[in-house]
Amino acid sequence: MSLAFCGNENNSAAYNVEKGVLNNGCFVDALNVVPHVFLLFITFPILFIGWGSQSSKVHIHHSTWLHFPGHNLRWILTFILLFVLVCEIAEGIVSDGVSESRHLHLYMPAGMAFLAAITSVVYYHNIETSNFPKLLIALLFYWTLAFITKTIKFVKFCDNGVGFSQLRFCLTGLLVILYGMLLAVEINVIRVRRYVFFKTPKEVKPPEDLQDLGVRFLQPFVNLLSKGTYWWMNTFIKTAHKKPIDLKAIGKLPIAMRALTNYIRLNEAFEAQKNKRSPYPQGSKSIWCALCWAFGRPLVLSSTFRILADLLGFAGPLCISGIVHHVGKGNNTIRPQIKILGVFFISSQEFLSNAYVLAVLLFFALLLQRTILQASYYVAIETGINLRGAIQTKIYNKIMQLSTSNMSMGEMTAGQICNLVAIDTNQLMWFFFLCPNLWAMPVQIIVGVLLLYYLLGISALIGAVVIIVLAPVQYFVATKLSQAQRSTLEYSNERLKKTNEMLRGIKLLKLYAWEHIFHSSVEETRQKEMTSLKAFALYTSISMQCEMFSLFASFKTVIIVSFVVRSTVKALCFEGTLLVPSPFTMYFCLPDPAQPLKVVNRKRPAREDWNNYSSHMRRPVNITEGDDFCVKITNGFFTWTPEGSATLSNIDIRIPQGQLTMIVGQVGCGKSSLLLATLGEMQKTSGNVFWNSPEKETAVDMEVRKRGSVAYASQKPWLLNATVEENIIFESPFNKQRYKAVIDACSLQPDIDILPHGDQTQIGERGINLSGGQRQRISVARALYQQTNVVFLDDPFSALDIHLSDHLMQEGILKMLREDKRTIILVTHKLQYLPHADWIVAMKDGTIQREGTLKDIQKSESELFEHWKTLMNRQDQELEKETIIERKTVLERKNLRRTRYSREALLKDDEEDEEEITESDDDDNLSSVLHQRAKMPWRACGKYLSSAGILLLPLLVLSQFLKHTVMVAIDYWLAKWTSDVISAKSDLEQKNCSVCQEFNHSRYSRVFSILCCLGIILCLVTSIAVEWTGLKVAKKLHYCLLNKIILAPMRFFETTPLGSILNRFSADCNTIDQHIPATLECLSRSTLLCVSALAVISYVTPMFLIALLPLAIICYFIQKYFRVASRDLQQLDDSTQLPLLCHFSETVEGLTTIRAFRYEGRFRQKLLEYTDSNNIASLFLTAANRWLEVRMEYIGACVVLIAAVTSITKSLYNQLSSGLVGLGLTYALMVSNYLNWMVRNLADMEIQLGAVKRINGLLKTEAENYEGLLSPSQIPQNWPDRGEIQIQNLSVRYDSNLKPVLKHVSAHISPGQKIGICGRTGSGKSSFSLAFFRMVDTFEGRIIIDGIDIAKLPLQTLRSRLSIILQDPILFSGTIRFNLDPEKKCTDSMLWEALEIAQLKHVVKALPGGLDAIVTEGGENFSQGQRQLFCLARAFVRKTSIFIMDEATASIDMATENILQKVVMTAFADRTVVTIAHRVHTILNADLVIVMKRGVILEYDKPEVLLEQEDSVFASFVQADK
């Protein structure tokens, strides 16, 4: 067939110009080519020759500055223009198909216009990003010419009677409108930017974010095409493949997305809601209103995108239906009847009756639908992330104002707060992601039913009825799933709480042989959790069946939304939180005083001002004679809870300015409470607290503003997860001279010397890698370093031996602080320091017993003074410490082994230690985690699947294959049925037979029914197999892990951070419980669906395989690059969440310290940094997911297009049945749906299998040898009954590759003897006590107790027959009864007797419930001293014949300690008692004293004998302790 621009048929009107040249259609079309040629001619040289040298001098980052007005409108109009031009080309080709010759003028101008439109947008983009607007003049001319030429064509159509019934007329009209609008946009750019026709062009500055080189998240700044396809991520993902992604690579957040910006927005919304006059201004309704007001706009945009995408989704089935219909008729396009201007015109109906046109339309519809859908997802997740940052900041603000009582009374625990931050805020984020489903799903269902009704008639309504009937079932299943999920979470939290307590008290559990009790307790909770998980699995399987019947998505939304709404309410409820009268009524502010408070809010400024966060140091005050006090409390009554009785009453004290005040008194008399009351941490019921300030005296109501910074060292040391230096400096400027003086005063230099990286060593969470004494000294060093006028020290000597205490008192408190005229308040039990005090406050039972100087008390309270004197065991004279200090310098602190034993890593020698610590540091290092970029962890996958057992695994694989085979068979059978019906109908029409037999459907329907039933059964079997496999593996791995951990040697817990072990039980177990089964099911389903789809398409049209190869290669590279980037970003997302959660828990634990120092602002700033780091990682991960999905969807669209074109062609030439064409296209659509899910699930699986890998690593831990050489029958029932101990040449070490800590020790302890062991820190005292319990490695010698070598005994038997009290008091949450006797072996009278011995009977009797009174987590509702007394009582309960006390009275006042010593001597007169002492005077009454040094016995004799020897080390200790 011949080819010509205007066609060359005989009698062609194409060259007829009789009526004027503009009335010739071909000429008008040729005229339309001119503007396009003009634009290509002008712009190509500029684009390709280069004009970068002329670009603007303004420095902008990434060349993404989009500053011309109407930018997005221009892009949208250009995309519409391109689509209309494609339609015009197609219309030209189709209408020309019936002509004798080819008329190029029908589609060539449109083709040129298409090229010109692409060039125009590329040209515009380059001009805009390089900021050279004058070159836009070319586009102005182009749009003007295009508009004019297209208008001429349109007018000529009107003149010749072409109307709306012809498609070409409509397309030309649309093009006129589009060119006109683009011209208007161009004119608007000139009007606003004034770059031509005006004397002074308008100068614009790039946004702050683009000037900042640190901002690398460019989604808000790039053009529309890059936004929609995430093109800007290409460079990032390619770079990720070459080197790991770290925080530096992802940069900073843009200002609009930062937590502070979003917090301010949310706060403004809350304020706006508060100001509205309504009866319930703080109700849940107002919270939702505030959230919608702050973040609703992007959510509306996301929902609009979602509804558009859903409506476009119906284009696929409609186009396939049209293709099948036309293929059945042989694709015979209706021959157009109308011929105007020498060419044929067709209507839209005729245009759409071409199968190839429908295939192209289907392709474009898919591209647009997928792009819009991904945009909807992105906008929703971005909004959720912004909201999460705002809510986390708001929760943190709330924490900063929490009362201390909420934490100590157990009303709010650190775990609950971490749950709010880690889980509930994330649920809230996902709620925003799923929110558009709420209104998109109903639209989808309604439109779907209407379309089905249109296509199938009344049959479609049966489907609608099924959906309606199944709705209650779906709702029921959704509710049950939600309940199962909630109960699983509750049991999971309970299990973690128990596991956490078990791990924190593991040393005690092992020493008391209580592992089995706590093991069974955790297992019991795990069983309940597994029952909930089974219910969840069952309902999930039922939901899979629902999927077979109706739209699954709407159902799933109900579950997640209902679950998430609860989380939302929970998070916001806490945030505002004070009272929750009903589940959906929440209060954000303090209620009326008459209403009962749940969470007590501290007094605070009227308005939170983020601009004034930077805290200021208190300036020195000019003291006048009248203002000689620092703090004054008059008639003060203080309580922890508003409804509770007063903890402190009748407090009238005056703390002198610039002097040392000491507060003394018995355990639990309110010393620490007095400090906290002064700091405003307690609830004041009456009275006043006055702080001396530059202005006049102010009461505590104004305390927040007036009280300066107070350097506070709490009784329980609080340390940051930072370096030693950062902990001491604590955000203050570094002063080298002062820092060294503080280190010396706290005797920290020897400790710093043995740390792997000196003072740059990172301290683990809660100071896990330091001993108690080291933690306390760092805490005191922080207080000494600060340049504040007031210093509060709460019992700083409790964990220190006498030498360290003396040095700290002399060098630190007296020299550094008192000589500086700083006001010091010191709480202490060490009465020997009272002579140093300028002012003494004696407390008793929550009241002030006496205050004044020591001389005042000597005169007025001679009885009290004599009592003190007796306790001090010395004359009233100044202490002389020089000799002690001199001796101390001789001590080699490299052998301070004991301080290192409680640490995370033990020293081998200097070099080995360096290597060991470096390795463990590297393991925790973020960069090393990111460097593990191995391939798929197949070994972990094998471990996971093998844990399922021999039966489940084949069932799992077989059921999956069978299910998908049956699904393909169902679809194939339907296609065959359809084809046979169509061919039977066409045969009837050909035969023109009216009497012929009708088509018999019964055989087809029977087979179809059987296949469907089989499919439903296999779906259920597959679902149950997957869930059951998951549950079995989860149960097995947790049981093995718990067994391994609880039986692991103590060395394992000293070298492994607690957080790391706990993470295996929390995050990793949760992944194995809930995530891996779902991902595994999803991965296998999407993979098998894609494989079966490609197999079906290849079967229908083998030609498709040729096109599949390049697509498969592209697909492979996309997934390869994505998986690496996704893994890094996922790990970065997780690892940036960890510091955020640590910061929350650190803040909760150190609230009093932070508020005392007035450092709230600095900690808030840190929170913002952590939140932003986490959010930027989440945003990049979201963008990477969208990047993958868009590309996979586009490949899917290409698969559909190729499948459609090849199917249509084969059908036309090879008589392929229309049923198989429909089958092939339906499966092609499925590929586009499931391709990205396959890659996403593969990436997720890779990350999730890391949990199996980590748990598998812990399962390799070697357990302690619990078996003994002696059988139970060989061990006497009441062994040891006498308590005789023989130690023969004993050498022990903490590990086989470490140096010995006890060397060739020999001793003999007779039955009933009282032995005192003393020595400097690190001399091996504690190691000596641990050797009795085989907690250390005895590699030489032996210990014989009552004639039996303890090495031959089973560990359980040995440890259960001895008693020990540790230095650190450990209490478990539960009752007092459980803490004293978890084995439930004792009667109440025995427990009361033990409490009486421990001086606690009166305390417990006063508590509600007595022995059944509640002990909160860690025993926080008792003072430190009381906790230690409970631990004593616990040991007394056991009534064993050997009793070991390891520095057990460090936190107890001297009076109580003296009583205890007497009781121990009398109550245990017939038992062997071994006491390890800090205070040497406590062992003066012992029968024998052992003095240790560097792991050997230095002196071993009766105390009186040793005291008589002049050169005795013991004598020097006693002298120092006076």
Side-chain angles (χ1 to χ4, degrees), residues 1024-1224:
I1024 289 171
V1026 168
E1027 296 294 340
W1028 223 251
T1029 304
L1031 286 173
K1032 191 172 179 188
V1033 173
K1035 189 176 180 180
K1036 187 176 177 181
L1037 284 178
H1038 182 273
Y1039 182 79
C1040 294
L1041 179 66
L1042 186 63
N1043 253 3
K1044 277 287 182 190
I1045 293 297
I1046 206 159
L1047 300 179
M1050 202 59 216
R1051 165 77 181 155
F1052 168 76
F1053 298 97
E1054 287 161 351
T1055 56
T1056 313
L1058 177 67
S1060 173
I1061 304 171
L1062 207 55
N1063 257 346
R1064 303 296 80 82
F1065 282 100
S1066 56
D1068 290 347
C1069 276
N1070 183 45
T1071 301
I1072 291 166
D1073 288 352
Q1074 296 191 19
H1075 297 286
I1076 293 182
T1079 310
L1080 187 66
E1081 202 278 331
C1082 219
L1083 177 63
S1084 58
R1085 183 151 49 99
S1086 51
T1087 307
L1088 287 169
L1089 277 168
C1090 284
V1091 170
S1092 54
L1094 293 171
V1096 167
I1097 300 164
S1098 304
Y1099 168 74
V1100 173
T1101 50
M1103 284 289 289
F1104 171 76
L1105 286 169
I1106 300 165
L1108 184 63
L1109 188 64
L1111 288 178
I1113 292 166
I1114 294 166
C1115 197
Y1116 169 76
F1117 280 106
I1118 288 173
Q1119 67 83 33
K1120 184 185 172 188
Y1121 277 87
F1122 168 77
R1123 270 181 38 228
V1124 171
S1126 171
R1127 188 166 61 237
D1128 280 6
L1129 287 168
Q1130 186 70 60
Q1131 286 171 345
L1132 200 57
D1133 188 33
D1134 295 341
S1135 61
T1136 50
Q1137 195 175 28
L1138 202 60
L1140 181 67
L1141 296 180
C1142 282
H1143 188 65
F1144 267 92
S1145 60
E1146 270 179 5
T1147 304
V1148 169
E1149 285 165 17
L1151 263 179
T1152 46
T1153 308
I1154 294 166
R1155 292 199 287 236
F1157 275 86
R1158 284 271 162 269
Y1159 275 9
E1160 295 97 326
R1162 299 182 189 196
F1163 275 76
R1164 281 189 182 112
Q1165 193 54 46
K1166 263 190 185 177
L1167 169 91
L1168 292 175
E1169 288 166 15
Y1170 290 137
T1171 308
D1172 285 348
S1173 295
N1174 186 223
N1175 285 356
I1176 186 76
S1178 299
L1179 279 166
F1180 263 104
L1181 183 61
T1182 301
N1185 287 338
R1186 303 285 79 79
W1187 178 89
L1188 168 83
E1189 290 189 9
V1190 162
R1191 275 145 192 77
M1192 287 299 173
E1193 302 282 22
Y1194 289 174
I1195 288 172
C1198 291
V1199 168
V1200 172
L1201 179 66
I1202 295 161
V1205 171
T1206 51
S1207 299
I1208 294 164
T1209 309
K1210 189 180 178 187
S1211 172
L1212 293 178
Y1213 294 105
N1214 296 343
Q1215 294 302 305
L1216 181 68
S1217 72
S1218 53
L1220 285 177
V1221 172
L1223 180 68

Side-chain angles (χ1 to χ4, degrees), residues 283 877 983 1002 1103 1208:
Q877 59 190 17
S983 61
S1002 59
M1103 284 289 289
I1208 294 164

Side-chain angles (χ1 to χ4, degrees), residues 133-137 186 189-190 193-198 201:
K134 288 186 179 178
L135 286 171
L136 280 177
I137 199 78
E186 210 62 70
V189 174
I190 296 172
R193 290 296 303 275
R194 307 158 73 95
Y195 65 86
V196 285
F197 312 130
F198 291 94

Side-chain angles (χ1 to χ4, degrees), residues 506-518 1266 1333 1355-1362 1383 1438:
I506 193 74
K507 190 174 184 180
L508 183 85
L509 299 190
K510 285 186 171 295
L511 289 167
Y512 276 64
W514 285 348
E515 299 102 312
H516 62 286
I517 298 170
F518 281 78
Y1266 274 74
F1333 295 85
L1355 269 183
Q1356 183 80 13
T1357 308
L1358 169 67
R1359 291 172 182 174
S1360 62
R1361 306 281 179 92
L1362 306 178
E1383 294 173 290
R1438 284 168 79 94

Side-chain angles (χ1 to χ4, degrees), residues 470-471 473-482 534-560 963 1016 1019-1024 1027 1078 1081 1085:
L470 279 177
V473 178
Q474 289 179 339
Y475 180 76
F476 170 76
V477 175
T479 312
K480 288 292 179 186
L481 260 174
S482 178
K534 279 175 188 171
F536 188 78
L538 179 67
Y539 289 119
T540 305
S541 300
I542 295 169
S543 77
M544 294 289 182
Q545 298 314 104
C546 289
E547 188 181 4
M548 295 294 289
F549 294 111
S550 69
L551 293 163
F552 176 58
S554 58
F555 147 82
K556 193 165 184 180
T557 306
V558 174
I559 311 172
I560 297 173
K963 183 182 95 169
I1016 290 168
C1019 259
L1020 187 63
V1021 170
T1022 307
S1023 180
I1024 289 171
E1027 296 294 340
E1081 202 278 331
R1085 183 151 49 99

Side-chain angles (χ1 to χ4, degrees), residues 918-933:
T918 307
E919 281 169 20
S920 70
D921 277 5
D922 281 348
D923 288 345
D924 293 336
N925 200 320
L926 178 64
S927 62
S928 74
V929 174
L930 294 176
H931 280 232
Q932 293 164 359
R933 298 151 68 83

